[in-house]
Amino acid sequence: MPLPFLTADRAFDEAADDVALPYDDRDTWRRPYRPGPWRVAAAALLLLLASYVLFAAVIIAVAGETPGAIACGAGALLVIAAAAQMLRVGAWVSARGLRQVGFFRTRTVAWAQVVAVRTTQQPVRWLGLPRTVQGQALVLVCQGGETLAAPLLTDRSADFLSRREAFDRAADSVEAWAAEYRPVA
């Protein structure tokens, strides 16, 4: 069963270096990079926890405690939903615009509102924790000089920690989408 939210299209990896946007259907929302090992490991641990909770729900149901089994099953479903959402977090692009998917909030910006997409050196959050370190961030500047509250990508996030080349490639890909679809002033 293909999981489109888990992997980026393999066409990007197989495309020649001179092709910036190797996708056939550009109206589909897609992440221009693969989720990093930290994000996938955290989601796998959550799914492992959910399997234990589901097993506990089955044992509780066999013991005859239906309300407890339902509560355990609902808890497991919440953990599974959290793991799936954790894998969706990131920057997504399409011909319509750029979408920044967070755990609780998603923001979509049309390409017509984008003034610039650039990589800058700035303090960034390490693995999304409150601690900040110096790193690179891909920031989006909208009309009126407004920038998004959080950077689109950082080299210290769960997707790119210890993967400098992957960050550079993802940032170049998002910048290529912006150059292709952003209106020229």
Side-chain angles (χ1 to χ4, degrees):
M1 176 172 90
L3 300 173
F5 60 87
L6 184 57
T7 61
D9 286 345
R10 305 223 186 275
F12 185 80
D13 292 333
E14 297 167 359
D17 289 335
D18 59 338
V19 179
L21 308 175
Y23 305 108
D24 294 331
D25 183 16
R26 295 187 179 172
D27 290 328
T28 306
W29 289 101
R30 65 188 76 244
R31 183 188 343 226
Y33 57 92
R34 289 198 174 105
W38 290 91
R39 185 175 308 282
V40 173
L45 287 175
L46 282 177
L47 291 174
L48 181 65
L49 173 67
S51 71
Y52 285 120
V53 174
L54 282 173
F55 187 67
V58 169
I59 291 173
I60 292 170
V62 169
E65 295 293 326
T66 307
I70 291 173
C72 278
L77 290 177
L78 285 175
V79 172
I80 292 169
Q85 182 64 19
M86 185 181 299
L87 290 172
R88 288 188 64 239
V89 169
W92 296 69
V93 292
S94 81
R96 292 175 282 195
L98 191 134
R99 181 173 284 172
Q100 185 177 24
V101 177
F103 193 79
F104 294 110
R105 182 177 177 210
T106 298
R107 180 168 180 189
T108 304
V109 178
W111 289 120
Q113 297 173 343
V114 174
V115 174
V117 177
R118 63 177 177 260
T119 305
T120 62
Q121 286 282 335
Q122 67 181 39
V124 296
R125 295 172 68 174
W126 182 75
L127 288 176
L129 298 172
R131 178 179 178 228
T132 60
V133 294
Q134 190 66 22
Q136 285 191 329
L138 184 69
V139 294
L140 176 74
V141 180
C142 298
Q143 289 178 348
E146 172 192 351
T147 61
L148 291 180
L152 293 174
L153 308 171
T154 68
D155 64 346
R156 306 286 191 225
S157 70
D159 290 321
F160 302 111
L161 189 64
S162 301
R163 297 175 58 217
R164 173 65 113 181
E165 297 82 21
F167 172 78
D168 292 338
R169 190 171 184 183
D172 290 344
S173 178
V174 173
E175 289 172 355
W177 278 86
E180 176 79 19
Y181 290 107
R182 186 178 39 139
V184 179

